[in-house]
Amino acid sequence: MRAILPGKPQARLQAVSTAQWGVLRLVVLLNTLCVSVTITNVLCNIKVYISGNGIMILSGPRDLLQTIYLEESSALIAVTVNEATGKIATASTKEIYLYGPYGQEEGWSLQSIIRREEQELEHVTLSWGTDEELLIGSSSLHLFQTATEETEIWRRRLPKPVKIAEFSHDASLIASTGDYDRLIKLWKRQSSGADDTRFNFTYLPHPTVVTALHWRKNHTREYGSDHVLYTICGDQKIRVWAAMDPHGVQGLQLWAEIDMQASIQPRELEPQSHSRDRFAFVIDSHEFTRVTESIIQDVANGGSQQDHALEHLAEVAKNGPELCIVVDSHGHMSAWGLENVGRKARRPTDVFNVAHVENFPLAFPDSQLLADSNVQLLSFCREQAEAPLTLLAHHFDGRIEWLECKFEELLDPAPQHQRVWRKTLLTGHEGSIKKIVRSINGKAVISRTNDNEAVIWKQGYDTNVLGLSRYSLLDSPKHIFRSWLLSEGDFVVNVHDQSVSIWDARSPSARCVDISPYCLEGHFICLVQLPEQSRDSTTVHLAGITSQGKGIVWSILLPRKSHTPSGSDGSSDPSMEFFCGFDLEIDDNLAFMLPIDPAGAASWTSSSLDMFARDIAISYSSNGRLRTWTAGLDADGSMVKWLVTSTVETGIEYPSLASASSIRKAALVDRAKTGLTIWDMRNGQLEHDVQYDGLETIGDLDWSSTPDNQSLLAIGFPHRVRILAQMRYDYLSVGPAWAPIREINIKDSTPHPIGDSTWLGSGNLLIGAGNQLFVYDKTVDSSDEMISELTVPVHKQGRLNLFDLVSFLNGPLPLFHPQFLSQCILAGKLVQVQSIVVGLQKALKFFTDGDELDSFVSVSPEDFIEQSALVVGSREKKPRGDNVVEKEAETNFEEVAASLNENLIKVSIPQLTSREQIHLADMVECVATVDKHRRSMDENAVRYLLFFRQHMIRKNQGPADRAGITFREIVWAYHSGSQEILVDLISRQFQGRMLWGQAKESGMFIWMTDLTALRAQFEVIARNEYTKTNEKNPIDCSLYYLALKKKNVLIGLWRMAAWNREQASTQRLLSNNFQEARWKTAALKNAYALLGKRRFEYAAAFFLLAGNLQDAVNVCLHQMRDLQLAVAVARVYEGDDGFVLRRLLEEKVLPQAASEGNRWLATWALWMLGKRDMAVRSLISPVYTLVDAAEAPNIQARSYLANDPALVVLYEQLRGKTLKTLKGASQISPKDEWDFIIQNARLYDRMGCDLLALDLVRNWEFLLQPKGKPAQEEAPRDPRELLRRRSSLVIDDLSSPKSPTSMKAGMGKPPPQKVFEEPEANSLLDNFGF
């Protein structure tokens, strides 16, 4: 659903046309750039309006059907619709354009053009007759036949151009009049035919200028005359002309008059309640009678009693009268009924007053302020509609009101609070929209064009209503660089070249009240409002900033809200004065600076200037550095202070566009305008990186947020807007942090590209294209392809609110969600996971579809925030109160898990999608499997085994999950003391026939620490590779046996490969002594030859045969792209202390980890190198700060995926494991550790695991810090003193040899650190927001 502001309609009598075409009511409108046609269902009407050189076609008050633009230099001045065929005719001063429909509601296309031979005139009038005849009036009257081809069948030269010329309903009469003419020419058709069409005419005299006329549309001759003409002239009287004497010389005779001035006599005595302006419209008898009968029939069918208003309506409609409605500009209305129109013997009762009522509000312009205060009223009726009467009020100041009402309420003599409802306001700009700026609260916006025409729009108090009301029109003589709305749109500040102006927009036409010159170095780039210390202050401060970082602040004193627009004395005018100048002192090249989108902003006040103050602006430099800024006035109010609240090095050079929200999210567009990145400015991490098709470039970014501060981003392309919503972080499935949830395509509505867009405070999206504004509401369809791909448990919901959808995608997860269970297992809370499974099984035992399911499934939140650990053996800590649960789990958990999975197949859980429910069943099965072995394994083995089992289950379900497990699981297994059990379980998983590909999936040759067991398992892989085919090809196992240095075994296998044509030559070669140089050279030649044939694995085997381990590892790494195989070959061939392995880790693995930001890979590599202190530090510090990498880290190194919250679990486990790890932990500053904990708590919160975040900040134990700095001469103190709980299990590894390769962060003494007092637990909770 959307509302449309289609542009400023022309101030012409034929700028709007409406007609009944079959079951459609078309309304066609002309505005400055377009003609529009509106379709309303259920006997809808076609409405067309022109606007300069275009046509708009609407399908109701809020639905645009089509926009047609003409490549015409002169503006369109008239439009009309053929009721019989649906054709649309529109005229410029030179040509007539005919558009034919190609199916109802499908569209209109150009059919033909009629070129006029006359000179250009200001007035052209159009009217359709029968049989597709088109009457064209200007300095002559032309009649064209347009059924097949356009043929002129009649022409009559006129002494003066016509202003109005209209056919009667049967095309036998034409009524025409000219400018300032008091005579109506009545043309009567004498004959028809293409060769002989003739008219003669008579006059209908009027005392003053004729201003309007209306033919009654007769569909039956049951009541009175066939031809009835209503005219209105300057004496403010309505005259009714009818054919009382069909055989008389004069075709029509005056039948009645209605004095519009006398019709409305206000009851109030105050002069200001009186108005001389009168406006009228006519409701034809056949429409009024038909709709009234339908209303009475509906009431009778409904069984309800008729009220007084309905009885009055039935009495009025009894004899089928015409209705003539007279209104004034103060909301007074007088309704007149005309019965038996055209009867010769008119009775006094044939003209009677139906009602004289008030509260008929039309938004009439103030005639004292605007010259174009004329209003044209058009009406039509619809059956079976909630409000059967529709009224189009065409204001010549550039607005069309779409009003609807009920007949019984309109004509009810009793007082009514409201008789008509405005459905929409059709108005807008004359030129193309260039920029849209919203107020801080989003209730007002200003849109402006290249011609410096600006319109201030306001949203009503009911935010569910889509439409915007035009509040004021601002026409600036100077070019506008920047605009800012103050006091909810009552005042506007515009920045021009070397001057700034403030405008009072409280009246329909804004006026400039003050201009102040300025002089700054550089070109103006940003205008932003500064936070005030008091919300009630009437003084606001605006800062202007140039490209050189220079700025100026203006102080603006606004009048109180109670003041009305000022008069000549200017007593309530705002005032503006220079406040101060400033310099941002930016050391790099400032590319641009712009205000923050106030997403989620409730106010614009701030009492402090610190890192927690609200951001007000964002800047970006040419090297891709993003900064967010806040500012505040100093205590004495004499200057402004600026503070950079966050800085992010994006690495994106020469960005073209940026935008940020007040909740510290920023979006950046690359130089080509096709790449988009989204950054979390608070943590400095990348959340989203996407590259769009180069055919469409990104032109606009707009932020919004839900009431609970969950972000939305609208990305504007030339003809569409894509809306992204933030998602929960998902570190296990590596799901996207942002996803598209809606796409709005305006190409079918208008050919113009999007000029700008912005979010309104209600959450509706405002898009400006051409001279039109489109307002899209928050409703999204759950059946949309974008929504169906998301993890949204819509469960039969047809339509969703945009904010509700984003809440589904974010917020706390239910305890039984697979992601929450996975994170609990990583955090060492297997007992709590078992409790959740037991609770869910009990909850689903008697669950049926439609029931509500408790997200906590009777599990107490306190169980998650007590100090606890994974219960894997008698040495581990047990949470208080969990003994009963553990005992229950030991006895029947496998049965509970099986029962739960049976229920998960039968019922749909409301909080989960079908995919998540499948993953939950997999998780339950894995937990049950792990539960069998948990008494014989440590907690790291449990973590690894659970995720390995889950990977194997998902691998069998579909190809999407066939990637191996990640280095996170590998590190858990690497630090496990139960590796023998894990190897045995993995071998059983593959039925003892494990090949290299399967071993690679498990990562076992990375995490196994026992070299003897490693080589034994590698030999198993070699045997399985040899026997995997019926041929038993020795080539398949050559690399493995040669890495094991078992050449003789390989020779024996070649003896049995008689079928292989390479047997003889290979046997001869292998039988030689490769310690000799000649045979080494022969092996190397064979290796290089195999590389040329792309037989990489066999080539690596020959490199090993030549004793060249380095080249074999390089082939595995570069040609085969198999890091695990390279590491396995190096470890098997020369052990963990070998030079090649160390070189591989230092020169390849660690730089790769630094480039990717992979801390799991980095900590494993550093531990393998014996640098355990740095392995611990790499869990907190960015890897590229610890490693000398030849290449700069890529953009993915800054991704949020590099900050896995499971790292904090590993850090807590490793830091107290050895003296080296304690030493490494002591080199981490307390502030860095504090930030690390708070950041991980935020990550848990973003993942939907709030209980784990609370547990982390409540139970974390910082290392003890010395109260004072130790003297230089004192001996180094024992690192075990840092632990709060002294343990004898800390391994002393400080005497172990160091790596021969020095690394940047591992040399020298750590810098002196400030004394850090451990914060209280409450302080942690406060920082996180609990």
Side-chain angles (χ1 to χ4, degrees), residues 831-884:
V831 171
Q832 285 84 344
V833 169
Q834 293 174 338
S835 300
I836 294 170
V837 171
V838 172
L840 183 60
Q841 191 271 339
K842 292 178 180 178
L844 294 183
K845 207 168 190 179
F846 304 102
F847 181 83
T848 59
D849 290 340
D851 293 350
E852 291 186 2
L853 185 61
D854 179 19
S855 295
F856 285 88
V857 287
S858 302
V859 177
S860 174
E862 285 76 10
D863 292 343
F864 290 87
I865 59 177
E866 293 180 349
Q867 292 191 2
S868 59
L870 184 68
V871 180
V872 295
S874 59
R875 295 183 302 169
E876 305 292 340
K877 296 177 288 183
K878 299 180 182 180
R880 295 186 296 273
D882 282 341
N883 294 327
V884 177

Side-chain angles (χ1 to χ4, degrees), residues 915-939:
R915 181 183 178 89
E916 290 169 345
Q917 195 159 326
I918 293 173
H919 288 174
L920 174 60
D922 298 342
M923 177 69 68
V924 171
E925 181 180 343
C926 292
V927 172
T929 302
V930 169
D931 186 66
K932 299 178 185 177
H933 308 281
R934 69 186 180 95
R935 283 299 179 187
S936 56
M937 295 187 296
D938 60 14
E939 59 182 27

Side-chain angles (χ1 to χ4, degrees), residues 260 263-264 324-327 332-336 353-357:
M260 293 193 293
S263 297
I264 297 178
C324 183
I325 311 295
V326 181
V327 298
H332 304 105
M333 185 201 78
S334 179
W336 294 84
N353 184 261
V354 176
H356 183 95
V357 299

Side-chain angles (χ1 to χ4, degrees), residues 11-38:
R12 295 181 178 272
L13 291 175
Q14 275 201 295
V16 185
S17 178
T18 175
Q20 183 79 37
W21 174 42
V23 296
L24 299 177
R25 166 67 70 172
L26 300 180
V27 176
V28 185
L29 313 102
L30 300 183
N31 65 21
T32 340
L33 292 176
C34 60
V35 178
S36 22
V37 178
T38 306

